[in-house]
């Protein structure tokens, strides 16, 4: 299973966070698509990443999402 995350920069206006569904004390969007993460990176900056998890829920790899290139490269040989 893969879960994508995006974190707004620290100096982001609270109104922008609210518009995008973030809680007042949290700057992270979770469970979004790679396309949405790239869109947010273009508009606001910040960081985005993908967590690759086993079926039991344990995370075994974290890869960054970047604006350039293909973000679907798999370096592992596991059945998810």
């Amino acid at each position: 299973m893969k879960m994508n995350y995006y974190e707004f920069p620290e100096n982001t206006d609270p109104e922008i966070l609210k518009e995008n569904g973030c809680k007042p004390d949290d700057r992270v969007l979770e469970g979004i698509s790679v396309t949405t993460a790239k869109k947010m990176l273009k508009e606001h900056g910040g960081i985005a990443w993908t967590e690759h998890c086993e079926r039991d829920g344990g995370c075994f790899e974290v890869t960054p999402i970047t604006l350039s290139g293909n973000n679907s490269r798999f370096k592992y040989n596991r059945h998810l």
Side-chain angles (χ1 to χ4, degrees), residues 10-70:
E10 286 188 31
N11 59 353
T12 303
D13 183 19
E15 194 61 34
I16 293 174
L17 296 173
K18 186 177 176 181
E19 288 172 8
N20 288 289
C22 286
K23 297 174 184 146
D25 58 342
D26 193 14
R27 298 179 293 125
V28 177
L29 294 176
E30 57 185 64
I32 60 174
S33 68
V34 172
T35 303
T36 302
K38 284 187 172 192
K39 178 183 171 201
M40 300 304 277
L41 285 170
K42 284 181 187 175
E43 290 179 5
H44 305 291
I47 59 171
W49 67 94
T50 300
E51 292 183 359
H52 305 269
C53 302
E54 297 278 359
R55 289 183 180 196
D56 66 1
C59 181
F60 65 87
E61 184 176 15
V62 176
T63 56
I65 296 174
T66 59
L67 289 176
S68 62
N70 184 353

